[in-house]
Amino acid sequence: MNLPAATYRLQYRNGMTFARAAGLAPYFASLGISHVYGSPIFQAEPGSTHGYDVTDPRAFDKSLGGEEDFARMEAAFRAEGLGLILDFVPNHMSASPRNPFWRDVLEWGQASEYAQFFDNDWSAPKLLVPALARSYGNVLEKGEFDLSFDEEDGGLTFTYGTLKLPLTPPSYGHVLMRGESEDFVELARRFAVATPETAPELKIELAAAARQPGFRKALDAAISALIENIDLLHELHEAQCWRLTHWRAARETLTYRRFFEIFDLVGIKVESQRVFDEIHAKLGELIEKGSIQGLRLDHVDGLADPKAYLERLQKTVGENEPLYLLVEKILGPDEELRADWPVAGTTGYEFIRALAGLFVDARGTDAMTRAYDRFLGEDVAYRSLVVETKRRMLTRNLAGELDRLKDLAGALATRHLSTRDFGTDTLRRATIELIAALPVYRTYIDISGAQEKDRATLDSTLASAKATREVEDEDAIDFLGRVLTLDFEAPEDQGAALEFATRLQQTSGPVMAKAVEDTVFYRYNRLIALNEVGGEPDQFGGPVAAFHEAMERRQQRQAAGLSATATHDTKRGEDARARLYALSEMPDAWGNAVHRWAGLTAELHSDCGGLIVPEPETEWMFYQALAGAWPLDLKLEDGQGLSALSDRMAEFMLKAVREAKVHTSWTGQNEDYEEAVRAFTTAALDPTRARAFLRDFVAFCQPIFVAGALNSLAQTAIKLTAPGVPDIYQGTEFWDFSLVDPDNRRPVDFDTRRSELKKAGEALTEDLVVNWRDGAIKMRLLKAGLDLRKTARNIFSEGDYLPVQIEGPAADHAVAFARLLASSAVVVIAPRLCLELLEGQDGPLVPRSRWGDTIVRLPKSFANQTLRDILTGRSITGEAVELAEILETFPVGVFSSQVNPA
C-alpha cells in the first residue's frame, strides 16, 4: 500500500474544475503534499456545490470537465509525482428523475430492474415524492400541475415547477384516450399492457408519430384537455407508481431510507452484490488503471454492514495490494476504530478533539461555566440537553424511521408468549430511550451477532434507558436488548432481529448527528471551540498526559489515518478554533466583557413578540463567533471590510439559529425572529451605530488574536509530526478564520498562495515572526514540515511516538514529543496555554524570560545527537535543553537528526 505523506483537500465545483486542478499541480507539489484528496467527482445534480448528491457514479461530472479533462488532470498530477485520493459516496444517491436508476424506479415501481437497487419500503402502496410546497389537494386545485411530452424519447412527464416525474407507460392511455383518431386508441391499448421491455419501442413509435403535424396537434390538445380537468388529472396522478405529497410528510411517511433527514437523498442497498458492482464499476476501472490511489468513504455508518462492505471493497479493488481506505467515522471519546476493518483510519475528527483537550485550559472550567450560566440566567446541563434533543429528533424529524422500528419490534414481540403483550406505544418509547441513551453513533451487530465491545455498549445503554424512567415496563427495554444481540433460537426470529438491529444502527447515527452536531452544538455555547464535529463540549480541556495517551493509541490503531484540523464539515476554520481555545484561559475577563458588550449593544436588540432578540444564548455565541472570524488586518475605518464580515456573520447567524431549532428552524422559519437576529448582527458591525462596542471588542480581542496565532502554529507543528497523515484543507496555508459552510467553501485565491510560497520559503524567520499577521509564517512552517515528511518519511510512517518530559515553572505551558526510528529522531516542542505568558506582546513569540528555568528533557537514547531545527537552523545537543533557548526566535520547535533547515 502506497501510504500518503500528506494530503491536500480540494473541493471540486464552485469554480474548481479538473482543468483548474491540473494547473495547480506544480503548486501542490511545491508545497510538499503527496496526494490531492478530492471531493466527489461523479455526475451529481446540476448546480451541486458539493457533489454528494450523485446521480450517476458511472460518469464524471460534466460541469467539472468530464472524461477528457479528468485524464488531463491525472496526467498533470502524475507528472508532479502526485497521487489522488477520491471522496466516494457508497450510502446514497440523489432521489431525482435526473438519476437514471431512480427515474426507472419512479416509472415502473417494483417492476423496475432497479427496484431492489434502493432501500425502498415496497410494502407501502406508493413511492412518496415529498416535493410540494403545500398540500396535494391545494396544489391540484390551483392548477400548478402540468404534463409535458418529450419529442426526443416519446416520454410523458408529470410536472410541478422544475420537477418532472415520468409517467408509468401503462398510464399513457389516460392521455391518449383523449385523442379522437383510431391511431390514439390503438396506441392507448398497446401502452396499457406495456412492460419495461416493450415500452422503449412504444415510446419511439409515439415520438415518430408526434413528428407528424396533425398527430402532434391532436396530442397537444389531448394533453391540454386532461390538464384542464382536475378529476382526470388526479386520476392520472393516482395511476402512477409514485405519489406527490407536501414536503413535510417526509418526516413520518417516507417510503425509502434517506440520508439523515434529507428526503432528496435516497439510501442504496450496497450490500447487494449487483448494486455494489453497478456503483463501483467506474471507480474500479480508475483504480485498476492507477488513476486513483485511495478512497475516502462517505458516511460509512449509514451502511447496513460496514465491515462486510469494506472487506468486499478491498477484495474487489485491492486484490493485488490493499487499497488505501479512509472512513468518515466519528468516534466517541472512549471508542476506537474497529480493528477488524480493513482500513487505514478515519478522516481525523478524533485528532481535532485531542488537540482541543491539549489547548483548552481545564483550570478555567468552573469560571467559564459560571460566566456562561450567569449571562444566560440559568444552568444548562449538557448531557440532559443531548438526551432530550435526541428524543425530539427521533420523534419529530425522523418519525417515519421510528415507526418502522416500532413495527419491526412489535412484529417480533407478537411471536412469543412472554412478549406478545407489549403495546406499540411501549415499544415505541423503549426504542426512543434506547437510541437517546446510546453514547456512540452506532453499534456494529451483524449476522454473526454482537461483539464484546458492542455488548458492553448495549449493557450500559440499556441501564441508562431504564434509569430515565420514561418506560414503565422495563422488560420492553430488555426485550430490545435481546433483539439487538439476536438472542433468539429460531432462524426466522434471528433474521427478524437482524433486520431490526440493522435498521436501528442505520438510524442511531443520523439521530446523533442531527441532534448533537446540528442542534445542541448551536444551543450549548459555553465555549464554541469545543462544539466541533466529533467534539465533546462538556469536556473542558485535559492534562498533557491525556494527549500523549491519545497519540500513542493513534500510533497503534491508525498511524495512517488522516490528521485533520479542518474539513468541509467542520464548524469553523482551524485558526478560528485555535483563537477561541484562548478564551478558556480568561473566563472571568471574557464573561465580564460579554456583559459589557451586551450593555453597549442594548439598543440594537429587538422586541420580537415579547422575546428580546438576540436572547442571551444567541448573543453569547455571537461574540465568540465574531472573535473567531475577525480578520487580522480589519480596521474600523475599513467600511468595505466590515461590510464583508457583516454579510458573512449574518449568514452564519441565520444558519446557527435555524440549526438550534429553538425560535426558528429550517422547516419552521420564524421570519420576524430571523430578521431581528439579522438586524442585530448587521447593526453590531456598523461603526455608525456600534462604534463604542466595536472599539472595545477589537481592543479586548487583540491578546486573543496573538495567543490564537501561537495556538495555530503549535497545532500545525503537531499535525505535521504526530501519528497520522497530515491533511491540509484548501486555503489553510494562510490563516483561516472561516465560519461553518458555506463560508468555509469559498473559492481559494491560489494565485496569491502560489506567488507567496516562494517568498515565504526565502524570508528570514525573524521577519516572518515580525510580520506574522500576513500568514506567511504559517505557510513557511507548513512547507518546512511537509518537506521533512518527504525526506524523513519512514520516521513518520513507521517510527515510534515518545512523550518528552518538560520540567520547571512553565512546564504546563508546552508539550513535547519525539518520533523515533532506529537512530533517526524528530523532536517537536510546541507551546500551549500561553495567553498570560504573551501578555504585552504584539506577536506569537513568548519572551525568553517568561520560560524561566523550564527545561526539555530529551530521551537518553539520542541525547548525544545533534538535532537541527528545520526552520531556524539552530542546533540542540544534550539530555536537558532550556525551553527558552529552543523557542527563543521562533514560536515552535521542530528538530530533526537527519535533515538540513528549510
Side-chain angles (χ1 to χ4, degrees):
M1 185 187 300
N2 181 22
L3 297 177
T7 60
Y8 190 99
R9 172 68 181 197
L10 191 64
Q11 293 291 115
Y12 292 110
R13 299 173 176 79
N14 305 316
M16 181 54 64
T17 61
F18 295 147
R20 189 167 180 220
L24 292 170
Y27 167 70
F28 294 145
S30 297
L31 185 62
I33 66 158
S34 63
H35 290 70
V36 172
Y37 158 38
S39 63
I41 61 173
F42 293 123
Q43 189 62 54
E45 283 291 323
S48 174
T49 60
H50 48 75
Y52 292 95
D53 46 357
V54 178
T55 57
D56 194 343
R58 303 166 300 183
F60 293 111
D61 198 305
K62 294 183 180 64
S63 70
L64 300 181
E67 188 103 27
E68 291 184 2
D69 279 4
F70 177 83
R72 294 189 187 100
M73 180 187 74
E74 181 201 346
F77 284 178
R78 194 184 298 275
E80 296 292 343
L82 298 171
L84 177 62
I85 296 170
L86 182 65
D87 195 339
F88 185 70
V89 189
N91 174 69
H92 56 267
M93 296 180 74
S94 172
S96 157
R98 284 178 285 269
N99 176 344
F101 307 108
W102 187 244
R103 182 181 180 86
D104 199 74
V105 173
L106 290 171
E107 191 169 17
W108 292 102
Q110 278 190 276
S112 167
E113 63 174 312
Y114 299 109
Q116 302 307 315
F117 197 96
F118 300 97
D119 207 345
N120 292 326
D121 176 12
W122 289 114
S123 67
K126 303 273 188 180
L127 279 174
L128 291 190
V129 181
L132 303 181
R134 297 180 304 283
S135 71
Y136 169 80
N138 185 277
V139 174
L140 179 67
E141 183 72 28
K142 289 186 177 295
E144 296 179 35
F145 293 133
D146 204 346
L147 293 176
S148 65
F149 174 70
D150 189 325
E151 58 189 24
E152 294 295 324
D153 71 5
L156 286 165
T157 56
F158 195 98
T159 66
Y160 171 69
T162 59
L163 178 65
K164 294 187 175 183
L165 297 171
L167 297 185
T168 188
S171 73
Y172 280 27
H174 288 260
V175 177
L176 297 173
M177 289 300 290
R178 310 266 75 76
E180 297 179 356
S181 72
E182 183 59 32
D183 291 342
F184 279 83
V185 175
E186 181 186 346
L187 274 172
R189 292 195 192 105
R190 293 168 63 196
F191 267 108
V193 293
T195 67
E197 292 73 32
T198 63
E201 209 169 293
L202 282 172
K203 287 183 183 179
I204 291 172
E205 190 175 332
L206 179 58
R211 284 191 281 273
Q212 301 172 22
F215 188 96
R216 181 57 187 268
K217 183 178 180 181
L219 178 62
D220 289 343
I223 290 173
S224 296
L226 193 146
I227 293 170
E228 292 167 5
N229 188 314
I230 288 179
D231 292 334
L232 293 177
L233 190 59
H234 172 62
E235 186 179 328
L236 176 63
H237 175 274
E238 296 300 284
Q240 305 311 310
C241 304
W242 43 261
R243 178 165 72 86
L244 278 162
T245 69
H246 188 270
W247 62 267
R248 288 189 186 278
R251 74 177 189 86
E252 55 184 327
T253 58
L254 201 61
T255 53
Y256 52 85
R257 180 174 62 85
R258 52 189 166 163
F259 171 70
F260 287 11
E261 56 178 345
I262 303 173
F263 65 77
D264 51 8
L265 294 177
V266 57
I268 55 179
K269 299 179 73 172
V270 75
E271 60 271 22
S272 159
Q273 183 68 55
R274 183 197 166 205
V275 176
F276 180 94
D277 292 342
E278 190 89 47
I279 72 164
H280 291 88
K282 184 66 174 179
L283 186 67
E285 177 187 315
L286 294 173
I287 293 170
E288 186 177 353
K289 288 169 53 181
S291 303
I292 294 171
Q293 288 71 47
L295 293 178
R296 178 262 196 194
L297 300 165
D298 181 66
H299 189 45
V300 71
D301 276 348
L303 304 182
D305 188 344
K307 179 187 173 186
Y309 167 79
L310 295 167
E311 289 175 340
R312 178 179 285 177
L313 184 61
Q314 281 288 17
K315 183 178 179 180
T316 303
V317 300
E319 189 171 359
N320 298 322
E321 180 182 6
L323 185 69
Y324 181 68
L325 293 183
L326 298 163
V327 290
E328 185 208 19
K329 163 66 188 167
I330 297 170
L331 298 168
D334 301 317
E335 185 181 13
E336 297 287 351
L337 183 65
R338 299 284 164 138
D340 56 355
W341 286 10
V343 300
T346 73
T347 49
Y349 290 115
E350 71 284 345
F351 184 75
I352 297 176
R353 186 173 65 232
L355 290 175
L358 182 66
F359 289 107
V360 170
D361 192 347
R363 297 169 297 185
T365 306
D366 292 341
M368 184 63 88
T369 302
R370 284 194 302 271
Y372 175 55
D373 291 346
R374 181 164 63 99
F375 189 73
L376 265 57
E378 61 176 329
D379 297 344
V380 182
Y382 175 76
R383 288 295 159 186
S384 297
L385 181 59
V386 167
V387 170
E388 182 54 41
T389 308
K390 289 177 73 176
R391 287 180 184 134
R392 181 181 175 86
M393 184 59 60
L394 187 54
T395 57
R396 293 171 64 94
N397 300 54
L398 299 171
E401 285 81 349
L402 175 59
D403 279 347
R404 181 80 180 275
L405 289 169
K406 176 258 297 176
D407 291 342
L408 289 172
L412 186 53
T414 57
R415 297 184 188 183
H416 300 274
L417 298 179
S418 62
T419 55
R420 63 187 293 179
D421 292 339
F422 289 146
T424 56
D425 184 63
T426 296
L427 289 173
R428 181 176 179 275
R429 288 175 180 272
T431 303
I432 293 168
E433 292 310 303
L434 190 150
I435 292 177
L438 193 67
V440 292
Y441 276 69
R442 65 166 284 175
T443 51
Y444 298 94
I445 295 151
D446 56 23
I447 191 65
S448 62
Q451 297 181 16
E452 184 178 342
K453 60 189 68 177
D454 287 319
R455 287 184 179 276
T457 298
L458 286 174
D459 286 345
S460 63
T461 300
L462 295 173
S464 297
K466 291 177 184 178
T468 63
R469 311 305 302 168
E470 291 289 328
V471 181
E472 292 181 356
D473 191 344
E474 293 185 359
D475 288 344
I477 295 175
D478 288 330
F479 169 70
L480 293 185
R482 284 186 59 207
V483 176
L484 286 170
T485 54
L486 317 187
D487 185 16
F488 296 90
E489 292 184 4
E492 59 270 24
D493 288 345
Q494 290 180 350
L498 179 60
E499 183 180 4
F500 176 86
T502 300
R503 289 292 177 184
L504 186 138
Q505 290 174 142
Q506 289 179 297
T507 302
S508 63
V511 171
M512 178 77 88
K514 297 306 296 182
V516 180
E517 293 170 31
D518 294 342
T519 304
V520 175
F521 279 9
Y522 294 94
R523 287 188 188 180
Y524 181 85
N525 296 293
R526 180 178 59 170
L527 180 62
I528 62 174
L530 299 174
N531 295 17
E532 192 49 86
V533 181
E536 297 291 330
D538 61 336
Q539 294 186 4
F540 204 93
V544 172
F547 175 78
H548 287 314
E549 289 172 7
M551 293 303 102
E552 288 170 330
R553 289 196 306 273
R554 187 170 179 79
Q555 175 66 21
Q556 295 166 5
R557 296 298 184 96
Q558 49 166 321
L562 290 191
S563 297
T565 43
T567 77
H568 57 289
D569 283 331
T570 43
K571 300 301 184 185
R572 51 195 40 83
E574 60 185 44
D575 302 316
R577 191 185 317 113
R579 260 187 196 174
L580 296 176
Y581 290 150
L583 301 187
S584 67
E585 302 177 64
M586 52 182 298
D588 290 324
W590 177 258
N592 292 336
V594 170
H595 274 275
R596 187 169 65 251
W597 298 333
L600 291 172
T601 61
E603 62 182 26
L604 307 180
H605 291 62
S606 304
D607 186 333
C608 186
L611 175 70
I612 303 302
V613 180
E615 70 285 7
E617 185 75 72
T618 301
E619 188 170 8
W620 179 273
M621 174 186 63
F622 168 78
Y623 297 126
Q624 287 189 67
L626 185 60
W630 193 276
L632 283 167
D633 59 352
L634 180 59
K635 308 296 183 186
L636 296 187
E637 298 75 29
D638 182 1
Q640 187 174 357
L642 279 172
S643 178
L645 178 60
S646 176
D647 290 342
R648 291 174 55 212
M649 283 296 298
E651 187 170 9
F652 164 75
M653 291 299 293
L654 175 61
K655 178 168 184 172
V657 295
R658 285 181 177 174
E659 295 281 30
K661 305 173 186 68
V662 177
H663 302 293
T664 188
S665 69
W666 295 103
T667 57
Q669 296 171 16
N670 182 335
E671 294 182 4
D672 291 341
Y673 173 80
E674 291 180 359
E675 173 56 28
V677 172
R678 187 205 64 79
F680 172 82
T681 302
T682 55
L685 286 164
D686 182 352
T688 64
R689 301 188 62 188
R691 182 168 297 275
F693 157 67
L694 288 170
R695 283 178 174 171
D696 191 307
F697 180 83
V698 172
F700 179 86
C701 286
Q702 288 306 314
I704 299 170
F705 296 163
V706 177
L710 182 54
N711 286 343
S712 298
L713 295 171
Q715 79 174 359
T716 299
I718 292 170
K719 178 171 76 170
L720 290 166
T721 53
V725 176
D727 176 45
I728 316 304
Y729 184 69
Q730 63 173 30
T732 60
E733 301 93 313
F734 293 144
W735 304 125
D736 175 32
F737 304 119
S738 297
L739 297 154
V740 73
D741 72 285
D743 194 64
N744 65 2
R745 305 191 196 197
R746 288 171 294 160
V748 176
D749 182 356
F750 282 107
D751 291 338
T752 297
R753 282 161 177 76
R754 217 173 350 211
S755 63
E756 291 297 321
L757 180 59
K758 185 176 181 181
K759 294 179 185 178
E762 295 174 347
L764 297 174
T765 53
E766 293 87 344
D767 292 339
L768 291 172
V769 173
V770 170
N771 300 312
W772 65 275
R773 291 176 180 270
D774 64 12
I777 188 173
K778 184 183 178 186
M779 178 178 268
R780 173 68 170 274
L781 173 59
L782 194 61
K783 165 69 173 164
L786 293 175
D787 286 345
L788 174 63
R789 290 191 68 91
K790 287 193 294 186
T791 57
R793 191 160 184 164
N794 289 347
I795 294 180
F796 298 106
S797 61
E798 304 171 26
D800 294 330
Y801 176 91
L802 181 68
V804 171
Q805 189 175 357
I806 301 176
E807 302 171 355
D812 287 341
H813 297 280
V815 61
F817 58 86
R819 303 301 307 277
L820 308 176
L821 182 66
S823 60
S824 299
V826 171
V827 177
V828 181
I829 303 96
R832 62 184 286 267
L833 313 183
C834 289
L835 182 70
E836 185 177 346
L837 297 182
L838 286 166
E839 186 176 356
Q841 300 303 299
D842 188 41
L845 186 66
V846 175
R848 180 185 178 104
S849 61
R850 294 179 185 172
W851 291 117
D853 297 328
T854 306
I855 63 169
V856 177
R857 194 167 295 282
L858 299 175
K860 293 181 180 179
S861 60
F862 61 91
N864 294 326
Q865 293 192 49
T866 297
L867 301 174
R868 189 176 296 275
D869 193 319
I870 66 171
L871 284 137
T872 66
R874 299 184 64 173
S875 298
I876 57 172
T877 306
E879 186 176 340
V881 185
E882 291 185 358
L883 190 57
E885 177 186 346
I886 293 172
L887 302 178
E888 181 176 16
T889 61
F890 201 78
V892 298
V894 180
F895 294 82
S896 174
S897 63
Q898 62 173 185
V899 296
N900 294 321

